[in-house]
């Protein structure tokens, strides 16, 4: 085995040589910086550097767990991520299937462009748009007043914040996420549809019997990846849309870390501890999802 | 053929590896001290500016400010034989940036930060970790700097007998009270008050009623309910509204209650403050968007005649993009002073009116520990000049011969005028002016002085407006009782209180529908978990030692 591997490397040495820079990249920029994780168990001293700082055991983690706000952020992160998987994740599949059913090629393109475009607008700009739209003097409230209703404080209402996150993120990202499914759909052999047609399947039956099974594998892999991101919760979006009024339902781990990290100079250790905590949980979730998908007969990642 | 293949592969490999590694290149060596060409070694010099030096400086927005290398910057560099190398920090990330620079070992020679005033824990840490340079014990070579270091209160940043920072004084001490007195104001539409028959509020309820009337009684007479009560530049300015209820709330101070020294938020008086704040919000007098609007967005509602009251600072009438200029821009043909006035705070339960006062400095200059003695001397000489009367003259009047001429005490301004016949703003003429003039001390006081330079730059009315306001405040109001010692005091638990973000929690209470007092008490329990009681015990013990 070893001999054959060695021989194959020698035989394909140029190809392996070409692979080297990529491997080097991963080692240098992904694996080497990992030693920074040590900070989670250290009391960081700037002059001493990461390796020279004294060990602190699990003090950083203990500090973290003692903070009431951290657990609020933790719960919010899980709930928001779960919501994203339940609500936003299927939306992209449904959109891809729907666009696929549009028969006129021209309309198909138009729809695809329209849905994809918001992906390129940054959250900073979207938050400005939303303030103008949903704020107290915004369009929506002006309409409400014009029809004789009371104004609504939508942006500061903790109960509405999570739906706001889901809806705005769907508006922004659904078209972009659908692309990968549409690519999978485009790869389906047309003969399958023809055969189904000959068997008398209508369009809905074709969708269920041909299209969906063909993209199910893709969906499973994307689902595993989405679960692996569950502890992230979307910093960019939350950070730009939230305000103190909605911390109760909207503050996620990343925004919490951002707010607390630099207020106290000694907290490099604690924030690294949070990062490590998140990474370990993400890893566990990824594996669990992978395991479940495999058990259900799908193809996993690993 | 094989050789060609090998060569091709190697070329590609080198290119790819280079592109991977290029990300690794660091900017090491950019802090090099003197440029070799000019350095003449050995000769014993009585001229302290003999050797040319490159000094790196961080400042908010210094990148754009120094980009033009205007005449003022060139004058400073020539006079002190230095090249100033800007290292930019931004207002929203300067704390993070300094931490990152500190961790990466790339702090500039002259470090701008706000540790002594905002993060004493980090200041201690930087001192302990040898990141910053101690100032010489003998400062007699820098008389103007020496005066600053002898100001009362500065001893609070002394660590083991040495100073590691030059506090950036907010203004000359003789004017401390005057400047703070005009640092907070409620600008209110005088014409709206007259139209609705509203008098200056004499208590909180009348204040609330006034703001409500602005919302409900159609003060602009357009038949629509589209006006607001109170808008604000930032929350800090608005908080003055609760000073009559709880004076120490106005400057986030510490106070003695039941024999213990406590931060303002731990006081029993907070209950009444949260009730009042909630009331303002719930009844509509407070801009419903105050928590979502970014800093400065609220201003627009006032400028566009959509809001009746605006929390900001009196001195803003003098700023080139301040309340008066912007208001008049949005209301062409109208005179700001005919339509807007300052509504003063009402007396508290004992009949006292309070005005803003705060510590004598905010932020500081620190010097990199790696700076050698020669460079340290050069930096301190520059700072001494920045703090000198000669420096002030340049900042007030510009460069002699170009912007003004002088005979004895009489200044004649000769700089260019704009299309309205006003002398152009020195800060516009020299983009580096804003930075250089404030590096050693904020110049908040210079703007509100009643002198030729200001009357020429701003016109008579605004200068008089501010002078009248200062006089009113000094005659009628008392400074908020403040224990300045505690602000620079550092104890382990007190340092950890920096993890408390009061403004966020206060905003949360205002916006919520829960009972404000109950909610506030729950927040206090969270503060306790962050070490509040321990901090109170430590500070009280320390103050007992000081017989307070």
């Amino acid at each position: 085995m070893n001999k054959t591997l060695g021989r194959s490397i020698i035989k394909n040495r140029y190809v392996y040589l070409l692979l080297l820079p990529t491997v080097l990249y991963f080692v240098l920029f992904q694996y080497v910086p990992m030693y920074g994780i040590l900070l989670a168990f250290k009391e960081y001293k700037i002059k001493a550097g990461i390796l020279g700082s004294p060990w602190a055991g699990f003090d950083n983690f203990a500090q973290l767990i003692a903070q009431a706000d951290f657990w609020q952020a933790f719960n919010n992160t899980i709930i928001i991520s779960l919501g994203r998987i339940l609500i936003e994740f299927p939306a992209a599949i449904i959109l891809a299937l729907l666009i696929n059913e549009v028969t006129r090629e021209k309309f198909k393109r138009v729809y695809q462009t329209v849905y994809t475009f918001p992906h390129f607008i940054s959250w900073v700009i979207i938050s400005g748009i939303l303030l103008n739209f949903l704020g107290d003097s915004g369009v929506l409230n002006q309409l409400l007043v014009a029809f004789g209703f009371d104004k609504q404080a939508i942006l500061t209402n903790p109960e509405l914040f999570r739906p706001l996150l889901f809806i705005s993120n769907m508006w922004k990202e659904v078209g972009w996420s659908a692309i990968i499914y549409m690519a999978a759909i485009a790869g389906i052999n047309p003969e399958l549809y023809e055969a189904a047609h000959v068997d008398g399947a209508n369009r809905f039956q074709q969708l269920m019997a041909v299209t969906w099974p063909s993209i199910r594998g893709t969906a499973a892999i994307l689902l595993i990846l989405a679960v692996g991101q569950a502890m992230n919760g979307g910093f960019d979006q939350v950070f730009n849309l939230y305000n103190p009024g909605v911390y109760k339902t909207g503050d996620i781990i990343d925004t919490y870390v951002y707010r607390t990290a630099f207020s106290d100079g000694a907290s490099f250790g604690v924030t690294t501890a949070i990062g490590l905590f998140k990474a370990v949980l993400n890893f566990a979730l990824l594996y669990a999802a992978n395991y479940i998908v495999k058990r259900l007969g799908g193809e996993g990642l690993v | 053929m094989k050789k060609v293949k090998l060569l091709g592969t190697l070329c590609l490999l080198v290119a790819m590896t280079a592109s991977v590694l290029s990300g690794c290149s660091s900017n090491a060596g950019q802090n090099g001290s003197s440029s070799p060409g000019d350095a003449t070694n050995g000769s014993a010099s009585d001229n302290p500016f003999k050797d040319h030096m490159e000094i790196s400086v961080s400042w908010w927005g210094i990148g754009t400010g120094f980009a033009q290398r205007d005449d003022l910057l060139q004058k400073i560099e020539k006079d002190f034989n230095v090249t100033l190398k800007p290292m930019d920090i931004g207002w929203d990330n300067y704390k993070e940036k300094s931490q990152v620079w500190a961790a990466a070992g790339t702090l500039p020679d002259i470090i701008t930060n706000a540790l002594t005033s905002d993060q004493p824990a980090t200041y201690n840490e930087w001192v302990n970790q040898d990141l910053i340079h101690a100032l010489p014990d003998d400062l007699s070579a820098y008389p103007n700097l020496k005066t600053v270091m002898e100001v009362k209160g500065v001893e609070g940043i002394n660590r083991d007998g040495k100073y590691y920072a030059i506090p950036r004084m907010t203004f000359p001490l003789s004017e401390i009270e005057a400047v703070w007195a005009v640092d907070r104001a409620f600008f209110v539409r005088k014409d709206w008050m007259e139209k609705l028959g509203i008098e200056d509020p004499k208590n909180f309820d009348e204040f609330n009623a006034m703001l409500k009337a602005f919302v409900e009684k159609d003060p602009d007479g357009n038949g629509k309910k589209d006006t607001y009560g109170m808008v604000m530049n930032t929350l800090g300015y608005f908080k003055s509204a609760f000073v009559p209820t709880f004076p120490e709330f106005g400057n986030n101070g510490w106070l003695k209650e039941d024999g213990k020294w406590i931060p303002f938020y731990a006081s029993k008086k907070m209950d009444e403050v949260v009730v009042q704040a909630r009331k303002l919000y719930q009844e509509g007098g407070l801009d419903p968007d105050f928590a979502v609007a970014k800093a400065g967005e609220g201003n627009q509602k006032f400028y566009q005649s959509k809001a009746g009251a605006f929390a900001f600072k009196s001195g803003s009438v003098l700023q080139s993009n301040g309340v008066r200029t912007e208001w008049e821009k949005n209301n062409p043909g109208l005179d700001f002073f005919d339509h807007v006035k300052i509504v003063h705070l009402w007396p508290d339960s004992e009949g006292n009116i309070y005005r803003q006062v705060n510590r004598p400095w905010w932020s500081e200059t620190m010097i990199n520990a790696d700076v050698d003695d020669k460079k340290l001397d050069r930096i301190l000489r520059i700072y001494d000049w920045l703090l000198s009367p000669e420096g002030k003259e340049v900042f007030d009047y510009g460069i002699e011969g170009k912007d003004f001429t002088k005979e004895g005490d009489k200044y004649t301004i000769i700089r260019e005028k704009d299309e309205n016949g006003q002398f152009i703003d020195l800060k516009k003429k020299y983009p580096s002016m804003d930075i250089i003039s404030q590096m050693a001390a904020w110049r908040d006081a210079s703007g509100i002085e009643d002198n030729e330079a200001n009357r020429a730059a701003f016109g008579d009315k605004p200068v008089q407006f501010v002078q009248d306001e200062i006089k009113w405040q000094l005659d009628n109001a008392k400074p908020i009782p403040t224990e300045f010692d505690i602000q620079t005091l550092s104890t382990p638990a007190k340092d950890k209180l920096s993890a408390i973000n009061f403004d966020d929690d206060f905003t949360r209470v205002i916006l919520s529908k829960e009972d404000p007092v109950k909610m506030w008490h729950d927040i206090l329990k969270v503060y306790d978990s962050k070490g509040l009681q321990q901090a109170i015990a430590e500070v009280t013990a320390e103050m007992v030692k000081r017989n307070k």
Side-chain angles (χ1 to χ4, degrees), chain B residues 122-147:
Chain B
T122 310
Y123 175 66
N124 291 345
E125 199 188 316
W126 283 28
V127 170
N128 292 336
Q129 300 195 23
D130 264 346
L131 285 167
I132 42 180
H133 213 297
L135 303 184
D137 294 332
D138 178 16
L139 287 172
S140 52
Y142 325 102
N144 300 302
L145 184 61
K146 193 165 181 244
T147 323

Side-chain angles (χ1 to χ4, degrees), chain B residues 37 71 89 127 129 208-209 220 236 262 265 268 280 331 359 382-383 385 406 426 434-435 460 484 494 507 537:
Chain B
D71 292 349
I89 47 178
V127 170
Q129 300 195 23
N208 185 33
D220 60 353
I262 57 171
Y265 44 71
K268 284 180 234 155
L280 283 176
N331 298 277
R359 68 193 144 208
I382 295 176
Y383 268 71
W385 180 84
K406 189 166 86 164
L426 277 174
D434 224 7
I435 296 159
D460 292 332
F484 291 110
K494 177 177 182 273
T507 307

